[in-house]
């Protein structure tokens, strides 16, 4: 686990959120249905007064399939989507047309109350104290949003300053989103928190939760440590059982003011949440690689993860979501076993690997070999062939980098002259030897 949390992997994960071209841009999908989504939030949530407003609708959410809507355990789970007004217009529509069609109970929390394409969006920051809204610098952006709610699209686009302001404000959502989730569905046994660029494999989540005792105070996620504080990486998603969320909210009841001051001086919302849960006596259960922060194209595929089911991916764009969701629906209909990391690799990644792809970075980050000016891609390939465990390599002028794991990666700038290659015969042999007689759970 430790080597998965290196600075290099964290850098790649963060960088992924700012790149628009990923593996699925190489695949042609019929995405007409996700361009103009319709539907509404579930009736079961819109009637809850604590998270409702005057906005309402009577349009029912269209069913994806009877199978995905009626999976065992679905009624016991509330899915919470945390987003922001400047991001949801780009990121939410595909969720409404895919995963959220299958989920009976969900709620969307943002930094502004609104109705978006027939779906109700809650302002999760409405309960922050007036004092903090006035004094904390992040709330200037919040006020700008609300004063210009009819011009939100002008806050979007490629304006890095606006994106940074939205990200800074986001840290204030982590604590109230937990409190509001319990209010939204107090009888839920499980509360699954995701962000708008997180993909949730709903069928696998339900299979996993069926193996756990919801009466225990569970806090589940992918561990990260920063400044000595252990917490669950927010973009990967995190899970709380009802006793855990009750324990946290009870602890916070008398200390909300103190935790507002703590939030004001702390930069990362998921770190803030981890600290508060720790203070409430709740430890984090390591749930990697079920819950993890990569995309299919940035995963390091090794024998360590083949037989683990996938519950979340992070930094997912609309085409990624559509491709994985389509695969999940096939699995629900025909296979019924959990969708494993091996299945994702076999169906979506392996067909795109090749002996050579120009202008490509496959994230080879193992042994490096210095090359002479007259040496090129074929010389790099020979170095990889000499190492029987080498699965892929990357050539750049004067350097050859190899890796024992398998990663697809993404397109590189032409000026870098980056060429990636995979040892296809070795990878095919490894793939043929994989046997997942029993899936692995946490």
């Amino acid at each position: 686990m430790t080597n998965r949390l290196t600075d290099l992997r964290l850098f790649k994960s963060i960088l992924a959120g700012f790149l628009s071209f990923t593996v699925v841009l190489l695949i042609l999908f019929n995405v007409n249905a996700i361009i103009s989504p319709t539907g509404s939030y579930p009736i079961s949530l819109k009637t809850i007064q604590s998270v409702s407003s005057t906005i309402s609708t009577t349009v029912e959410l269209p069913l994806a399939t009877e199978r995905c809507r009626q999976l065992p355990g679905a009624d016991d789970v509330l899915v919470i989507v945390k987003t922001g007004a400047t991001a949801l217009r780009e990121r939410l529509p595909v969720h409404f047309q895919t995963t959220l069609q299958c989920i009976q109970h969900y709620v969307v929390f943002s930094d502004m109350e609104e109705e978006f394409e027939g779906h109700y969006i809650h302002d999760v920051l409405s309960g922050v104290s007036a004092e903090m809204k006035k004094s904390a610098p992040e709330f200037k952006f919040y006020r700008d949003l609300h004063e210009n709610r009819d011009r939100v699209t002008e806050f979007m686009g490629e304006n890095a300053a606006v994106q940074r302001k939205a990200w800074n404000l986001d840290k204030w959502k982590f604590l109230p989103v937990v409190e509001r989730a319990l209010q939204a569905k107090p009888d839920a046994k499980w509360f699954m928190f995701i962000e708008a660029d997180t993909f949730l494999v709903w069928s696998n989540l339900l299979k996993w939760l069926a193996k756990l005792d919801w009466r225990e105070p569970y806090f589940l996620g992918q561990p990260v440590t920063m400044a000595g504080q252990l917490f669950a990486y927010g973009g990967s998603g995190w899970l709380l059982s009802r006793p855990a969320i009750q324990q946290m909210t009870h602890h916070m009841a008398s200390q909300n003011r103190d935790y507002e001051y703590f939030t004001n001086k702390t930069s990362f919302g998921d770190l803030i949440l981890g600290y508060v849960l720790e203070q409430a006596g709740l430890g984090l259960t390591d749930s990697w690689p079920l819950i993890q922060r990569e995309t299919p194209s940035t995963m390091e595929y090794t024998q360590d993860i083949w037989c683990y089911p996938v519950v979340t991916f992070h930094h997912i764009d609309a085409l990624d979501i559509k491709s994985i969701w389509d695969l999940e629906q096939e699995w629900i209909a025909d296979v019924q076993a959990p969708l494993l990391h091996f299945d994702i690799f076999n169906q979506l990644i392996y067909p795109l690997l090749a002996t050579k792809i120009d202008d490509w970075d496959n994230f080879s980050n193992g042994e490096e070999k210095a090359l002479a000016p007259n040496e090129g891609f074929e010389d790099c390939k020979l170095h990889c062939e000499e190492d029987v465990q080498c699965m892929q390599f990357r050539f750049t002028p004067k350097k050859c980098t190899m890796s024992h794991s398998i990663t697809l990666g993404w397109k590189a700038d032409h000026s870098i002259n980056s060429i990636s290659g995979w040892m296809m015969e070795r990878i095919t042999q490894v793939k043929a030897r994989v046997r997942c007689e029993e899936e692995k759970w946490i």
Side-chain angles (χ1 to χ4, degrees), residues 189-190 212-218 241-244 246:
K189 296 177 181 178
W190 295 99
L212 303 175
D213 185 354
W214 70 270
R215 292 164 293 191
E216 296 295 323
Y218 274 110
S241 62
R242 189 200 304 169
Q246 289 173 331

Side-chain angles (χ1 to χ4, degrees), residues 6-237:
T6 61
D7 291 341
L8 179 60
R9 297 301 292 161
L10 181 59
F11 170 76
K12 289 176 180 175
S13 178
I14 294 172
L15 181 60
F18 296 96
L19 296 179
S20 59
F21 295 103
T22 58
V23 54
V24 291
L25 294 180
L26 301 174
I27 312 171
L28 295 177
F29 288 105
N30 178 12
V31 294
N32 293 334
I34 68 175
I35 297 175
S36 301
T38 59
S40 169
Y41 54 92
I43 297 297
S44 58
L45 284 181
K46 77 175 185 180
T47 58
I48 299 174
Q49 296 300 317
S50 55
V51 294
S52 294
S53 78
T54 56
I55 299 175
S56 64
T57 179
T58 58
V59 180
E60 276 288 351
L61 181 71
L63 297 179
T65 65
E66 287 299 320
R67 284 182 290 267
C68 81
R69 285 284 290 180
Q70 299 181 11
L71 294 173
D75 193 47
D76 297 329
V77 183
L78 177 68
V79 173
I80 303 94
V81 182
K82 179 177 69 66
T83 185
T86 60
L88 63 85
R89 284 154 180 78
E90 177 183 357
R91 294 178 177 176
L92 282 186
V94 67
H95 289 287
F96 292 139
Q97 285 298 307
T98 56
T99 307
L100 292 180
Q101 290 191 43
C102 298
I103 298 173
Q104 296 179 20
H105 309 291
Y106 68 87
V107 61
V108 181
F109 288 119
S110 179
D111 40 33
M112 188 169 70
E113 178 185 324
E114 58 181 313
E115 184 178 17
F116 175 63
E117 298 188 0
H119 298 263
Y120 180 66
I121 313 297
H122 302 278
D123 178 7
V124 75
L125 299 177
S126 60
V128 176
S129 69
E131 173 193 353
M132 199 56 68
K133 284 181 178 177
K134 182 178 180 180
S135 61
E138 295 84 10
F139 279 96
K140 182 183 185 306
F141 181 71
Y142 178 80
R143 292 191 296 272
D144 289 343
L145 278 176
H146 286 247
E147 291 169 4
N148 299 277
R149 59 182 305 119
D150 295 331
R151 300 169 52 238
V152 171
T153 53
E154 297 180 24
F155 287 86
M156 299 170 61
E158 299 302 320
N159 191 325
V162 169
Q163 293 176 11
R164 183 68 184 182
K165 290 175 183 178
W167 186 88
N168 289 339
L169 179 64
D170 187 72
K171 73 174 185 178
W172 287 94
K173 301 171 188 173
F174 280 79
L175 297 184
V177 81
V178 174
E179 294 180 294
R180 295 284 292 275
L182 183 60
Q183 296 169 12
K185 188 169 171 54
D187 64 334
K189 296 177 181 178
W190 295 99
F191 298 81
M192 180 73 209
F193 298 83
I194 61 173
E195 299 190 356
D197 61 347
T198 307
F199 180 79
L200 174 64
V201 183
W202 175 240
S203 57
N204 278 1
L205 174 66
L206 296 180
K207 286 182 172 70
W208 181 27
L209 297 182
K211 298 178 179 297
L212 303 175
D213 185 354
W214 70 270
R215 292 164 293 191
E216 296 295 323
Y218 274 110
F219 172 33
L220 301 147
Q222 177 174 0
V224 176
T225 300
M226 184 177 296
Q229 178 63 53
L230 177 68
F231 59 97
Y233 182 74
S236 302

Side-chain angles (χ1 to χ4, degrees), residues 5 22 25 63 71 129 179 208 232 242 245 248 278 285 298 303 324 331 341 345 347 350 357 381 389-390 419:
L5 300 176
T22 58
L25 294 180
L63 297 179
L71 294 173
S129 69
E179 294 180 294
W208 181 27
R242 189 200 304 169
I245 206 170
M248 174 184 163
E278 183 180 279
T285 298
T298 61
Q303 63 180 359
I324 305 170
W331 239 244
H341 279 287
F345 173 81
Q347 298 292 324
Y350 177 75
I357 301 181
K381 180 180 179 180
Q389 297 185 66
C390 181
I419 308 174

Side-chain angles (χ1 to χ4, degrees), residues 9 12 297-298 361-365 392 394 403 407 409-410:
R9 297 301 292 161
K12 289 176 180 175
S297 60
T298 61
D361 182 359
N362 65 6
F363 297 174
S364 293
N365 57 7
Q392 64 180 46
R394 179 192 180 209
S403 180
T407 301
W410 54 47

